Structure formats: structure tokens, C-alpha cells
Amino acid sequence: MTTVRIDGLEKSFGNVEVLKGVDLFVPDGSVVAVLGPSGSGKTTLLRVLAGFEHANGGRISFDDEIIADDVHHVRPEHRRIGFVPQDGSLFPHLNVAENVGFGLKRSKTRSTRIAEVLDLVGLADLSARHPHELSGGQQQRVALGRALAPMPRLVLLDEPFSSLDARLRSELREDVISVLRAADTTSVLVTHDQDEALSLADEVALLRDGRVAQCARPSELYTNPADPVIASFVGVANFVTGRLEDGVVVTPFGPLPLRTSVPLASTKGEVIALIRPEDLAISERESGRGIAASVERIEYYGHDALVHLVVRHEEDAAISVVFPNPSGVYGAERRAKGAVVVRIHGATAIKEGDTVRVGATGPVLAWPGARL
């Protein structure tokens, strides 16, 4: 296994700065997802790690070996990296076994290693087939097997599921992570899919403006985002303006305790508070706790549902819900003022057009600010 350390990595194409000082640590044997919108520099970071591109500044180290800096640049073929491209890029004239063994040297153990890898990726029975005879998911398994066959120090995956349909993407994610764990390898996955990053990785590094804006475990990134932009990028975010008064945020939902881990410049002042959909509760009684709202629509998923509410006009100025943009573009989220989204579990008698009351539970995360 290999530990990867990136310090102050810079990369420009002409006058365009893509990476502006990336710092990232990848523990040995871990899977780290680099999450970010299109154009944030994710693929460029991966290509510099692989050695396909030269960095303009900074340092990359594998364990105690300097791979790239102002003096060193280890060639790609000497870095012992396995690379899984977005579309698999299999050789159409080679069968599955030949594709997997492409990067292996001729030796007595070559066929044994190919058989081991085919078994690892679940393709032992398809070794004689050619790429055109495989499904999209099977082709990506072959690409992963080819990357793992030479026993690399690091595996890099460049949005490997983006070309697959939703059902196949979900199935293959689990399979790929199982294979990587079984291979006991260090891996870096780049993606613009929030669900993919949060569900697969040990840690998620969120890339923004050419730098890592935050790197944390998935649960930490979701519950303790560093700023409102990150909060809205990794899930549905209800924002409400309030006033901080000695550790309590006074909001239209009532006073809510502030998380003690949140560093604020003062103990008083106007703030923007984050309330996730699961931290809101609906009461069907007119006299229930919280503020009045009408049910706009319900998204039912079986195991749970998202209830979209519009609060009454006189109370909506300080409330806004932000939905992650499907294309992963910062600053282009779908925003609805005077609206909140509540996550509920199980069946409900609530229907569109109903008048309900919605309340919040704390503690909440908050940042200085007076405008949504």
C-alpha cells in the first residue's frame, strides 16, 4: 500500500490556471474521492498524479519518494499507477484475458496473475469474449482488472461510472469498491456525483477554484460543511437567517442551539443557519409546533420521501431551500425562496395542497451573514 501526499500543486494551460495550490493527503489503503463540478480541475489533478501532465509547481510524494516537484518528474511508466479511464478504453481486437494482461510482462506467472484478477473482478467465465460482446458494466470491470493486474501502488479512476445508466451505475459502484478493498490498494476517484462520492469514499476532497475547499469523511462533509456553498453542493440544504445570541440561533422556527464546534467571530449577530431536510418535522395539526406551510409536492422513494413546503408569505423572507445542481456547477443551484424540504420516513397521509406546520430540531450549523 502507498501513502500519497500532494503539497501546493499547481497546473496551468497557457494563461489559464487550473490547479492553484492543491493540498491533499491520501492514506495508504484508502479510497479518496475528489468531488467537484465540471471544469474544477478534477481530471487535470488525476492526469498530473499519473504523470501524463507536468505540474507547474508543488510536490507529489508516494510514501517517502518524491514523484514530482521543481526538480523531479518520474515518468508515468515508472510510477506504478493503474488508471481506469471514463470509457474503459479497451482494445477491441483483444479478448478479456488479453486486455487484463496487457500491462504484464511475459513470465511464467503471467497467466496465473490474469486468472487471479479475472476472478477478483468477477469475469473468470468471460475471459474469451471481446469488448463488443460485453455490457457497459462488464467493460468497466475489465478496465479495472487491467489497472490492478500489475499490482500498482495507486489506482486512479476518472469518473468510471458516468457513461452507465442509473441502475447499472449503482450496482457497479459496490462491486468496484469491493474489488479495491480486496486488492488492498490506495485509490483516488474523481467524480462530479455527490451520491457517488459520499457513498463510496473513505474521505471526500471537494475541489473548488483550483484548490481543495474541504477534505473530510463523508459524514463530516455532510454534517459539518465549511461554508454554505459546500453545504448546498453535497445535499439538499434548507437555509434560514437568524440571530445568534449566546450559543442559540433565533430563527422563524424558534430558538435552535448552535453546534459548539462552530467557530464564530462573536457570540452575537446575524447568521445563516443550515437545516438539513431530516432535521425538520411536519405536524398535521394547525396548532402544532413550528410555522405554517402548504404542501407543494411530495417526492416518494419507498424508503423515504421528500416533502416540498411553501411557508406562509409573511414568514418566507428569511427561508430558502437550495437543491444541488445535477450537472455539479457551483453557483447554479436551483433555489426556492420561502420554501423548505422535509425528509420523512415511511408512509404519510399528507398530500399536495394540505396545510401543515413545520418545525426544526437542533443543534444547527451557522455562518456569519444576513442574506441568503
Side-chain angles (χ1 to χ4, degrees):
M1 293 188 288
T2 300
T3 295
V4 178
R5 183 179 294 277
I6 301 172
D7 299 296
L9 192 65
E10 299 176 357
K11 176 61 183 176
S12 299
F13 295 97
N15 295 324
V16 179
E17 291 181 282
V18 180
L19 304 179
K20 305 175 184 179
V22 171
D23 297 313
L24 183 62
F25 177 72
V26 183
D28 60 344
S30 67
V31 177
V32 171
V34 178
L35 174 65
S38 299
S40 62
K42 303 186 302 298
T43 296
T44 297
L45 174 60
L46 216 63
R47 291 182 61 81
V48 173
L49 262 176
F52 303 153
E53 301 283 355
H54 286 247
N56 297 115
R59 173 181 292 182
I60 301 172
S61 301
F62 291 176
D63 295 327
D64 295 326
E65 179 187 358
I66 297 175
I67 298 298
D69 63 7
D70 293 337
V71 177
H72 306 83
H73 179 81
V74 177
R75 294 176 62 86
E77 60 269 28
H78 299 309
R79 295 192 182 194
R80 287 184 55 202
I81 284 178
F83 192 86
V84 182
Q86 192 172 109
D87 58 359
S89 297
L90 302 180
F91 299 107
H93 62 291
L94 301 181
N95 64 27
V96 168
E98 291 165 340
N99 265 284
V100 167
F102 183 80
L104 294 175
K105 295 180 180 178
R106 300 285 175 181
S107 68
K108 293 180 179 179
T109 60
R110 185 174 184 271
S111 59
T112 301
R113 178 57 183 164
I114 292 174
E116 290 175 349
V117 173
L118 287 175
D119 187 58
L120 183 65
V121 298
L123 295 174
D125 295 336
L126 304 179
S127 61
R129 291 192 184 182
H130 285 74
H132 72 274
E133 299 175 293
L134 304 175
S135 67
Q138 290 168 336
Q139 290 180 20
Q140 284 301 81
R141 287 171 189 251
V142 176
L144 179 61
R146 184 177 60 189
L148 290 172
M151 298 183 179
R153 293 192 290 182
L154 175 67
V155 174
L156 305 176
L157 302 100
D158 186 10
E159 307 226 30
F161 315 112
S162 61
S163 62
L164 306 176
D165 63 61
R167 182 189 60 80
L168 186 57
R169 192 160 59 234
S170 178
E171 292 177 1
L172 190 61
R173 285 174 186 168
E174 296 179 12
D175 292 343
V176 166
I177 289 302
S178 296
V179 169
L180 292 175
R181 304 282 190 214
D184 210 21
T185 184
T186 304
S187 310
V188 176
L189 161 76
V190 302
T191 180
H192 69 272
D193 188 312
Q194 299 90 344
D195 292 338
E196 192 169 287
L198 295 176
S199 64
L200 297 183
D202 298 305
E203 292 191 357
V204 178
L206 203 147
L207 202 62
R208 182 173 69 195
D209 298 328
R211 296 180 176 87
V212 174
Q214 186 174 0
C215 183
R217 298 187 67 82
S219 59
E220 179 71 11
L221 189 68
Y222 182 79
T223 57
N224 288 298
D227 57 51
V229 176
I230 295 175
S232 61
F233 191 71
V234 295
V236 177
N238 296 300
F239 292 113
V240 56
T241 55
R243 184 167 184 81
L244 179 62
E245 296 182 358
D246 298 321
V248 174
V249 182
V250 180
T251 75
F253 296 104
L256 300 172
L258 180 72
R259 286 187 187 160
T260 55
S261 61
V262 178
L264 289 173
S266 69
T267 58
K268 293 185 179 182
E270 292 179 313
V271 295
I272 298 172
L274 166 67
I275 305 176
R276 291 293 188 189
E278 56 272 21
D279 295 326
L280 289 168
I282 293 175
S283 172
E284 298 177 48
R285 302 191 312 272
E286 279 288 339
S287 59
R289 177 175 171 268
I291 57 178
S294 60
V295 179
E296 184 180 41
R297 62 188 175 93
I298 300 173
E299 294 180 49
Y300 183 68
Y301 296 102
H303 49 78
D304 65 2
L306 291 179
V307 182
H308 296 248
L309 304 173
V310 177
V311 299
R312 287 184 176 171
H313 178 72
E314 65 269 18
E315 297 170 310
D316 69 5
I319 299 173
S320 178
V321 61
V322 180
F323 307 92
N325 189 284
S327 64
V329 179
Y330 284 115
E333 302 93 346
R334 293 182 292 124
R335 178 182 290 269
K337 288 235 175 185
V340 294
V341 171
V342 184
R343 178 173 282 113
I344 62 174
H345 298 279
T348 177
I350 297 171
K351 59 184 184 300
E352 293 181 11
D354 283 355
T355 297
V356 297
R357 298 193 75 84
V358 56
T361 59
V364 297
L365 203 61
W367 300 272
R371 299 182 64 183
L372 291 172

